[in-house]
Amino acid sequence: MHDLVIRGGQVATSFGTVRCDIGVAGGRIATLAEHIPGGENVIDAGGLLVVPGGVDSHCHIEEPREDGGVMEESFVSASRAAFAGGTTSVVCFIPQWKGQGVWDRYQDYRARAARGMLDHAFHQIISDPTDAVMEEEVPRLVAEGVRSLKVFLTYEPLHVTDAQYIRVLETARKLGALVTVHCENFDAIRWRTQRLLEAGLIGPRYHAWSRPSVVEREATHRAIALAELVDQPIQVFHVSCAEAAEEIARAQARGLKVWGETCPQYLTLTAEHMGRPDGALFMCSPAPRGADEHARLWEVIRRGTLDVISSDHCAFSIAAKRGDDFSTIPNGIPGLAARMPLVFSEGVSKGRISVEEFVALTSTNAAKLMGLYPKKGAIQPGSDADLVLWDPARQVRITNALMQHAVDNTPFEGMDVKGWPVMTIRRGQVVMRDGQVQAEGGTGEYLPRAAYGMAQPRGITPNGFGA
Amino acid sequence: MHDLVIRGGQVATSFGTVRCDIGVAGGRIATLAEHIPGGENVIDAGGLLVVPGGVDSHCHIEEPREDGGVMEESFVSASRAAFAGGTTSVVCFIPQWKGQGVWDRYQDYRARAARGMLDHAFHQIISDPTDAVMEEEVPRLVAEGVRSLKVFLTYEPLHVTDAQYIRVLETARKLGALVTVHCENFDAIRWRTQRLLEAGLIGPRYHAWSRPSVVEREATHRAIALAELVDQPIQVFHVSCAEAAEEIARAQARGLKVWGETCPQYLTLTAEHMGRPDGALFMCSPAPRGADEHARLWEVIRRGTLDVISSDHCAFSIAAKRGDDFSTIPNGIPGLAARMPLVFSEGVSKGRISVEEFVALTSTNAAKLMGLYPKKGAIQPGSDADLVLWDPARQVRITNALMQHAVDNTPFEGMDVKGWPVMTIRRGQVVMRDGQVQAEGGTGEYLPRAAYGMAQPRGITPNGFGA
Amino acid sequence: MHDLVIRGGQVATSFGTVRCDIGVAGGRIATLAEHIPGGENVIDAGGLLVVPGGVDSHCHIEEPREDGGVMEESFVSASRAAFAGGTTSVVCFIPQWKGQGVWDRYQDYRARAARGMLDHAFHQIISDPTDAVMEEEVPRLVAEGVRSLKVFLTYEPLHVTDAQYIRVLETARKLGALVTVHCENFDAIRWRTQRLLEAGLIGPRYHAWSRPSVVEREATHRAIALAELVDQPIQVFHVSCAEAAEEIARAQARGLKVWGETCPQYLTLTAEHMGRPDGALFMCSPAPRGADEHARLWEVIRRGTLDVISSDHCAFSIAAKRGDDFSTIPNGIPGLAARMPLVFSEGVSKGRISVEEFVALTSTNAAKLMGLYPKKGAIQPGSDADLVLWDPARQVRITNALMQHAVDNTPFEGMDVKGWPVMTIRRGQVVMRDGQVQAEGGTGEYLPRAAYGMAQPRGITPNGFGA
Amino acid sequence: MHDLVIRGGQVATSFGTVRCDIGVAGGRIATLAEHIPGGENVIDAGGLLVVPGGVDSHCHIEEPREDGGVMEESFVSASRAAFAGGTTSVVCFIPQWKGQGVWDRYQDYRARAARGMLDHAFHQIISDPTDAVMEEEVPRLVAEGVRSLKVFLTYEPLHVTDAQYIRVLETARKLGALVTVHCENFDAIRWRTQRLLEAGLIGPRYHAWSRPSVVEREATHRAIALAELVDQPIQVFHVSCAEAAEEIARAQARGLKVWGETCPQYLTLTAEHMGRPDGALFMCSPAPRGADEHARLWEVIRRGTLDVISSDHCAFSIAAKRGDDFSTIPNGIPGLAARMPLVFSEGVSKGRISVEEFVALTSTNAAKLMGLYPKKGAIQPGSDADLVLWDPARQVRITNALMQHAVDNTPFEGMDVKGWPVMTIRRGQVVMRDGQVQAEGGTGEYLPRAAYGMAQPRGITPNGFGA
């Protein structure tokens, strides 16, 4: 009856942990039971946690560049990194370049993604919301299950004006898509950058100086206010500081559908890292803040203001990061493999969150917001059998080799973590065992997404019962 | 393999709803599966919700009175009322009278409770924390699984001074017990009452005048502050207004383990009801407030500040409520049977909360806080098979007959609700079907409780994902 | 020794009221004394309040238009209106048109203003912050005492981008000038306007629909955040709603030098007025809100968040306001004469503020922020003898004739006020007596301004002692 | 015409500073003028500030003890200390002992106070609110100008129950008197003290351990809530921490008439001081907190939450403070002379407040709240000529000798201050010149008080204009 039985684990979901067996049939979870008898294909999970496969809803993978090239991380290499770190599904980005359309790009990107092993869904970046794109192409994309439009309020040449952002919100509202937003003020950063360069302050450390918290807070408030005007739900991406999170909390308290994401780099790295000789390897946007920000961010995570932790994986090799001038060094760091171990170690092992909150933050909440739940993000009858066997006691020092991604560096090099994924199962198939990835290219599935989340403005806050 | 299979229902827990079958063996849930094949003892739950049996953590049942009598509601009649309304477990109160001990009372109360059909656990009321009681008897009670001490900050002759309350907190801290508190200021109410009586304002409507919100807020702040001083978790009982709930929210934001409960009467009744000719039937403490308080309370429920809705069931017959002077009419109303239908109807059917939040508020959260989880409050392998088949579309007008309790009145008489329990199963046995209670006396089990809740100060707030 | 003695009045300043005589010499206050003996030129103020002459820091008077014309209200007519309403000093605006400079305009405007009878100072509007303007002309203006730069975040063709606004902030910071800001989001209003017009919703009432509170709040937050980035004090003009004022209060609590102004129209008019047949006469920006906003604004005034009430006087005749399409009807209403009576009547006579707060809001605070204090806004030895004898009991119905301005309408027509100025004295000269203005053109003086306000982030909040 | 002219000073009041001359006649201020010509009795205040004489509204002077003795500080010695430190008026305490009345005590105390040189008013302590006292004696006292009733929520044997406190509030409300409150929880402190003593933790340092902030916050919330219930204004005495001040701020935001006082010891001393060998000399209640509390208190002072800084002068000699057990060492420290120099130095000289705020905090606000304004606390025609010539640049190291009080110690010994009073004038008479006190005993006047403060819930918050 079952193709596979996982026996004896502590099955941890976003709401609780129970010792039970899991029976898998046809790639899906068929049965949860105190004991499933038999059989041949049994995995012993004794002493381990069994958690839902990670859902990383913010990854830049094999993304086409404006010059015709693509990012260094391919879907194949990204799949290896993801499985190594316990992630089984990703949502990645189709770019739009100004003056260009999106439909052809989508088809091309579908083909690229199909070569990998990861289950995958897409965000569509909008940088040029022309009538043709918004009225003809985007509706087709949404019908294909690309249910979110991403805008950059900063980043040349992708950034949009308020008028363009409003246009995106309006279209998303009609189509039932989510809007996701990179919130920093373009003009403010440009002004600061110009003044820094004029003063000869050009190294990577000045990247953080060019974009202080206030420019993120401003854009966050603006993004929310305009979404409120148009009556459209949004997710604020990669919140780096409590100051910006406060704007999200205020919006949530007003009953708005505004969600916030953060990333492991904002919980572990600081602006100081960019002052090192290899500082460029830590450059991402927003920039990591002071060390005291970590505790503040954990606090807003615990309050539920930020409810998704994704990687914002965007890998560049050391060679690509070379340069003297912070304003021309590419931004972004790889994090696909490190994400779940870092969140588990900093969160669960250090007593900041429960195991259940770990699952919510790294898998379930993203699955819900991205319209993938309960196919993904859950361990219940009918869900895909995406499962990770997690050893909560395993101590590991992060090295680039362990990350298994395409590039030659990780900003988390040398960090010690406690808790590690020892086996990853994707739709009932073991795709990683003890660090060995054993999936074949082309086995990843496209995930057409349903509408975002659910209708309620706020769920019950479980005060100490959350897990 | 299974004694009973519930097939085809929408299984709703505090975290989500999934269509699956439930297999019961030995009174416990053995299996959740997409499909359980076979067999003889199958219940068709098609079109119905299947929710965990209700846990009502605040009930006055067959409580001994100081004069040697007992309350009108026996454990047998209370079991009927509970099953009729979808509740399968209760936590009720052992009183202590000043100058008396608690251990003998406990044994007597265990015997009384054993005659009923409900699974039951106890709070111990402390009104006279002498050395003998606190150092000898209470530790024995806690060892028996009576894991909470209840104090009244008002109510003659049960109320305690701050010094006595501190003593209770200190003892509970050593023993790992929870403290639950009735928060109103005794002196303030006595003063107001005296002034009202002097002015000839004596009818039931003046009960509300004698105890405005500010006396509840004051005592709530004080109860929390002294608990903070002693470093002891507490639950604030029957919060009637947002003003008091705000004090709880502030404490939670400071990281304190303070939980808050409310009751259906504060969500449906108002001070106006006490102005009716039968106003005494609506008298309880705290008093119901203005009608605008209902929306404010739902708001703090949605934010998780108040996470348990219990009944504060305390039944008096019309004869017992007779009298001209509000200060001598007994306080309390029956609510054991009406609780879950009212919360479902006012909450879920009116779009204020999700089905999952309904389960959390009426069953799971109380089970966790009372140390009964996951035996109670859950639908997962290993949990007791306490299940309710709930028809979300059934429209019912509440009458006293439907309540099946011992007394001749309900304050909810004539209210229309949408959503109704059509079958109640206790440990795998059908104990109510279509309103017919079919359990035998003496089948209720005593529930020795574990420690309260869990260690985290706050769980993840699922923003729209809660359910 | 004294040219003039004002005897027997209740002398009210922003801090207190005292019965004393005022001796004037050389146009200035020489003496305050319990009794000043003598002499010939004595005014009996018995039964009256004596308050400092009003300072209206936001007036559009005889402003050049882009087409080469000027506004209907001349400095002569404005002086009549001001004196009639108890105001003796104004701060008005020199416009800059895109592609044009500011120095010549200043000289022209000085000449125009000199023809009137009011003491006057200037704000410089910046709509095109080119290098030439910001580095050459503006420093000259500041040296002349034009100590504030005004920017519009909306209003075509005057509005500026964030980059331009930052440029203005940066220049003001170097020069020690204040920046004053019209806060509404340009793109958001344009989008709403376009959608309304497409839907055929074109009358004056839709002016309010085109610019809801959220667009004002957004721009207020942004204006403050960018000022925080540049470290430059700002005043937020004409705050119309508590939602925007909250952003100011938050900034003040962070210790930022951010001040907020409101106007009588936001305390007395509503969006409903624009639905009348003569609705265009009530159109101004931001638009008046719902009637419940008045109480909220008084609350933030009482808390000190908004500390200046000016008129935003901008007069158009009925003919100029004609048109069918709200997007083309000119915005602005006259309020120079009505300002102080409305604030006194709605504020003091209705018990919302004290007489001292009235003085602070209409005179002293503006004088301080505009760098005119203690020459203006005070009754103390050495200050200009700008004094108003105010009858707190006089009841008047506002008519356009009483306003004495150049145009044929007032949006306050027919409103009843209690409290009225019966005599206005400017630098020791009686310029209005019982409604009769008796000053000669050309007697107004230019007021070169000092730096804004003072250094402290927040003064003592007098809790009930303020006045 | 004038008996005395003070020429050339910077006259600083709570609202502003102006260079002018002050003419005194008959002990009162007759004239403020740019220049007062003549005459014989002229004091040159060039280079100095001239501020209103300090009003210290919280002093224990020559207070009768229960055993029939009196406190060491007599009205004569206290007058010396006060004048040395710039204070010209005090409000001190008539005690009531349980079982005793208050009227005879008042007459005795009037006689004692009359022997000193300070102008004086009284608070009446109520520890036993019997019918006779509250209905017969207290009304007579209020008619005599004793317009405040003081209660202790802790301190054996003076402390009152909630019921007694309510009685005091009710009486004060009828009589138009203020209620002032010492807010700490009696039972909580007793419990902590007992536990500390049991553990052998008995030295002065444990005084602070026995009464943490939470017991002050609790009592503050309770004092306010019961005052809200009765609808009676109160002043919360000697607020030692921001946590308690927050409760006051919340009450003020609700529009309640609740005022807060703090003292120099809470701005300069810490709990660490009590760990010194002479730790007993720093013991007062509430206890000084951690050093980080100072900044938080200045913040709430700047926001106006706390608007009076008095000394809580309560002097004990070293001999009286001897003992091993903190629970039996008398509480209280002398501060009458040090108060104004400490507030000026820590406040004005360190840039935390303006000169005007200094005047408000040490003189004007207390005068207003105590019903002594504008006779005291003001420099305006008609006010008493209580004036202090203050040298803002004078640097002084505090010694006990400089304090001129009766006891042999000051907790501020060795502290360096910048800013010092060089002359004190009481009702037109120079009573201190360069530290030499030159007033004769018996010249102090009794000050019958008017009703508290004013009617408005909150004045204008001058944002940067406060001074």
Side-chain angles (χ1 to χ4, degrees), chain A residues 56 58-63 71-73 93 152 155 265 280-281 283-285 311-317 321 330-336 405 407 409 411:
Chain A
D56 192 339
H58 190 154
C59 298
H60 299 277
I61 300 173
E62 207 169 334
E63 221 171 277
M71 285 188 169
E72 299 175 70
E73 192 78 81
F93 295 88
F152 290 88
Y155 259 148
Q265 47 270 42
L281 302 184
M283 283 175 59
C284 55
S285 292
S311 69
D312 194 6
H313 182 84
C314 185
F316 293 96
S317 60
K321 283 273 196 176
N331 276 221
I333 57 176
L336 193 42
H405 49 221
V407 299
N409 69 94

Coordinates of all heavy atoms in Angstrom, one line a residue, chain A residues 56 58-63 71-73 93 152 155 265 280-281 283-285 311-317 321 330-336 405 407 409 411:
Chain A
D56 N 11.8 28.0 -0.4 CA 12.5 29.2 -0.4 C 11.9 30.1 -1.4 O 12.1 29.9 -2.6 CB 14.0 28.9 -0.7 CG 14.9 30.1 -0.5 OD1 14.4 31.3 -0.4 OD2 16.1 29.9 -0.4
H58 N 12.3 33.2 -2.4 CA 13.1 34.3 -2.9 C 14.5 33.9 -3.4 O 15.4 34.0 -2.6 CB 13.1 35.4 -1.8 CG 13.6 36.7 -2.2 ND1 13.3 37.9 -1.6 CD2 14.4 37.1 -3.3 CE1 13.9 38.9 -2.2 NE2 14.6 38.5 -3.2
C59 N 14.6 33.4 -4.6 CA 15.8 33.0 -5.1 C 16.1 33.5 -6.5 O 15.2 33.4 -7.4 CB 15.8 31.4 -5.2 SG 15.6 30.6 -3.7
H60 N 17.3 33.9 -6.8 CA 17.7 34.3 -8.1 C 18.5 33.2 -8.7 O 19.7 33.0 -8.3 CB 18.5 35.6 -8.1 CG 17.7 36.8 -7.5 ND1 16.8 37.5 -8.3 CD2 17.6 37.3 -6.3 CE1 16.3 38.4 -7.5 NE2 16.7 38.3 -6.3
I61 N 18.0 32.4 -9.7 CA 18.6 31.3 -10.2 C 18.6 31.4 -11.7 O 17.6 31.6 -12.3 CB 17.9 30.0 -9.8 CG1 17.9 29.9 -8.2 CG2 18.5 28.7 -10.4 CD1 17.0 28.7 -7.7
E62 N 19.8 31.2 -12.3 CA 19.9 31.1 -13.7 C 19.2 32.3 -14.4 O 18.6 32.1 -15.5 CB 19.5 29.8 -14.3 CG 20.1 29.3 -15.6 CD 19.9 27.9 -16.0 OE1 19.6 27.1 -15.0 OE2 20.0 27.6 -17.2
E63 N 19.2 33.4 -13.7 CA 18.4 34.5 -14.2 C 19.1 35.2 -15.4 O 20.3 35.4 -15.4 CB 18.3 35.6 -13.1 CG 16.9 36.2 -12.9 CD 16.8 37.0 -11.7 OE1 16.6 36.5 -10.6 OE2 17.1 38.3 -11.7
M71 N 22.9 34.3 -14.9 CA 23.6 34.2 -13.6 C 24.4 32.9 -13.6 O 24.0 31.9 -14.2 CB 22.6 34.2 -12.5 CG 22.1 35.6 -12.3 SD 21.0 35.6 -10.8 CE 20.8 37.4 -10.6
E72 N 25.4 32.9 -12.7 CA 26.3 31.7 -12.6 C 25.6 30.5 -12.1 O 25.9 29.4 -12.4 CB 27.5 32.1 -11.7 CG 28.3 33.2 -12.3 CD 29.4 33.6 -11.3 OE1 30.4 32.8 -11.1 OE2 29.3 34.7 -10.7
E73 N 24.6 30.7 -11.2 CA 23.9 29.6 -10.6 C 22.9 29.0 -11.5 O 21.9 29.7 -11.8 CB 23.2 30.1 -9.3 CG 22.7 29.0 -8.4 CD 23.9 28.4 -7.6 OE1 24.3 29.0 -6.6 OE2 24.4 27.3 -8.0
F93 N 12.8 34.2 -10.1 CA 12.4 35.5 -10.7 C 12.6 35.5 -12.2 O 13.7 35.2 -12.7 CB 13.2 36.6 -10.2 CG 12.9 36.9 -8.7 CD1 13.6 36.2 -7.7 CD2 11.9 37.8 -8.3 CE1 13.3 36.4 -6.4 CE2 11.6 38.0 -7.0 CZ 12.3 37.3 -6.0
F152 N 11.0 46.7 -7.9 CA 12.1 47.3 -7.2 C 11.8 48.8 -7.1 O 11.7 49.5 -8.1 CB 13.4 47.1 -8.0 CG 13.9 45.7 -8.1 CD1 13.5 44.8 -9.1 CD2 14.8 45.3 -7.2 CE1 14.0 43.5 -9.2 CE2 15.3 44.0 -7.2 CZ 14.9 43.1 -8.2
Y155 N 17.3 50.3 -7.5 CA 18.1 49.4 -8.4 C 18.0 49.9 -9.8 O 17.0 49.6 -10.5 CB 17.7 48.0 -8.3 CG 18.5 47.1 -7.5 CD1 18.0 46.0 -6.8 CD2 19.9 47.3 -7.3 CE1 18.7 45.2 -6.0 CE2 20.7 46.5 -6.5 CZ 20.1 45.4 -5.9 OH 20.8 44.6 -5.1
Q265 N 21.0 36.5 6.3 CA 22.1 37.5 6.3 C 21.8 38.6 7.3 O 22.7 39.2 7.9 CB 22.4 38.0 4.9 CG 21.3 38.4 4.1 CD 20.8 37.3 3.2 OE1 20.6 36.2 3.7 NE2 20.4 37.6 2.0
A280 N 33.5 42.7 -0.2 CA 32.5 42.7 -1.3 C 31.7 41.4 -1.2 O 30.5 41.4 -1.7 CB 33.2 42.7 -2.6
L281 N 32.2 40.3 -0.6 CA 31.5 39.1 -0.6 C 30.3 39.1 0.3 O 29.4 38.2 0.4 CB 32.4 37.9 -0.1 CG 33.6 37.7 -1.0 CD1 34.4 36.5 -0.5 CD2 33.2 37.5 -2.5
M283 N 28.3 42.0 0.4 CA 27.4 43.1 -0.1 C 26.1 42.6 -0.6 O 26.1 41.8 -1.6 CB 28.2 43.9 -1.2 CG 29.2 44.8 -0.7 SD 30.1 45.6 -2.0 CE 28.8 46.4 -2.9
C284 N 25.0 43.0 0.0 CA 23.7 42.7 -0.6 C 22.8 43.9 -0.2 O 23.3 44.8 0.6 CB 23.2 41.4 0.0 SG 23.2 41.3 1.8
S285 N 21.7 44.0 -0.8 CA 20.8 45.1 -0.5 C 19.4 44.6 -0.1 O 18.9 43.8 -0.7 CB 20.6 46.0 -1.7 OG 21.8 46.6 -2.1
S311 N 16.1 33.1 1.4 CA 17.5 33.3 1.3 C 17.9 34.6 0.5 O 19.0 35.1 0.7 CB 18.2 32.1 0.6 OG 17.8 32.0 -0.8
D312 N 17.0 35.0 -0.4 CA 17.4 36.0 -1.4 C 18.8 35.5 -2.1 O 19.7 36.3 -2.3 CB 17.6 37.4 -0.8 CG 17.7 38.5 -1.9 OD1 17.5 38.2 -3.1 OD2 18.0 39.7 -1.5
H313 N 18.8 34.3 -2.4 CA 20.0 33.7 -3.0 C 20.3 34.4 -4.3 O 19.5 34.5 -5.2 CB 19.7 32.2 -3.3 CG 20.8 31.4 -3.9 ND1 21.8 30.9 -3.1 CD2 21.1 31.1 -5.2 CE1 22.7 30.3 -3.9 NE2 22.3 30.4 -5.2
C314 N 21.5 34.9 -4.4 CA 21.9 35.6 -5.6 C 23.5 35.5 -5.7 O 24.2 36.3 -5.1 CB 21.5 37.1 -5.5 SG 21.8 38.0 -7.0
A315 N 23.9 34.5 -6.3 CA 25.3 34.1 -6.2 C 26.2 34.7 -7.2 O 25.9 34.8 -8.4 CB 25.4 32.6 -6.3
F316 N 27.4 35.3 -6.7 CA 28.4 35.8 -7.6 C 29.7 35.1 -7.2 O 30.0 35.0 -6.0 CB 28.5 37.3 -7.5 CG 27.3 38.0 -8.0 CD1 26.3 38.5 -7.2 CD2 27.2 38.3 -9.4 CE1 25.2 39.1 -7.7 CE2 26.1 39.0 -9.9 CZ 25.1 39.4 -9.0
S317 N 30.6 34.8 -8.1 CA 31.9 34.3 -7.8 C 32.8 35.5 -7.3 O 32.5 36.6 -7.5 CB 32.5 33.6 -9.0 OG 32.6 34.6 -10.1
K321 N 32.8 39.7 -8.1 CA 32.7 40.7 -7.1 C 33.9 41.6 -7.0 O 33.9 42.5 -6.1 CB 32.6 40.0 -5.7 CG 31.2 39.4 -5.4 CD 30.2 40.4 -4.8 CE 29.0 39.7 -4.2 NZ 28.2 40.6 -3.5
P330 N 28.7 44.1 -8.0 CA 27.3 43.5 -8.0 C 26.9 43.1 -6.6 O 27.7 42.6 -5.8 CB 27.4 42.3 -8.9 CG 28.8 42.0 -9.0 CD 29.6 43.3 -8.8
N331 N 25.6 43.4 -6.3 CA 25.0 43.0 -5.0 C 24.5 41.6 -5.0 O 23.9 41.2 -6.0 CB 23.8 43.9 -4.7 CG 24.2 45.3 -4.1 OD1 23.6 45.8 -3.3 ND2 25.3 45.9 -4.6
G332 N 24.6 41.0 -3.8 CA 23.9 39.7 -3.7 C 24.9 38.6 -3.2 O 26.1 38.7 -3.4
I333 N 24.3 37.7 -2.4 CA 25.1 36.6 -1.8 C 24.3 35.3 -1.9 O 23.1 35.3 -2.1 CB 25.3 36.9 -0.3 CG1 24.0 37.1 0.4 CG2 26.2 38.1 -0.1 CD1 24.1 37.2 1.9
P334 N 25.1 34.2 -2.0 CA 24.4 32.9 -2.0 C 23.9 32.5 -0.6 O 24.6 32.7 0.3 CB 25.5 31.9 -2.5 CG 26.8 32.6 -2.0 CD 26.6 34.1 -2.0
G335 N 22.7 31.8 -0.6 CA 22.2 31.4 0.7 C 21.3 30.3 0.7 O 20.7 29.9 1.7
L336 N 21.1 29.7 -0.5 CA 20.1 28.6 -0.7 C 20.4 27.4 0.3 O 19.5 26.9 0.9 CB 20.2 28.2 -2.1 CG 19.1 27.3 -2.8 CD1 17.7 27.7 -2.3 CD2 19.2 27.4 -4.3
H405 N 26.7 25.0 -4.1 CA 26.3 25.9 -5.1 C 27.4 26.1 -6.2 O 28.5 25.5 -6.0 CB 25.8 27.2 -4.5 CG 26.7 27.8 -3.6 ND1 26.2 28.4 -2.4 CD2 28.0 28.0 -3.5 CE1 27.3 28.9 -1.7 NE2 28.4 28.6 -2.4
V407 N 29.1 28.8 -7.0 CA 30.1 29.8 -6.8 C 31.1 29.4 -5.8 O 30.9 28.5 -5.0 CB 29.6 31.2 -6.6 CG1 28.7 31.7 -7.7 CG2 28.8 31.2 -5.2
N409 N 32.3 30.9 -3.1 CA 32.3 31.6 -1.8 C 30.9 31.5 -1.1 O 29.9 31.4 -1.8 CB 32.7 33.1 -2.0 CG 31.7 33.9 -2.7 OD1 30.8 34.5 -2.1 ND2 31.7 33.8 -4.1
P411 N 29.1 33.8 2.3 CA 29.4 34.8 3.3 C 29.3 34.1 4.7 O 29.7 34.8 5.7 CB 28.3 35.8 3.1 CG 27.2 35.1 2.5 CD 27.9 34.0 1.6

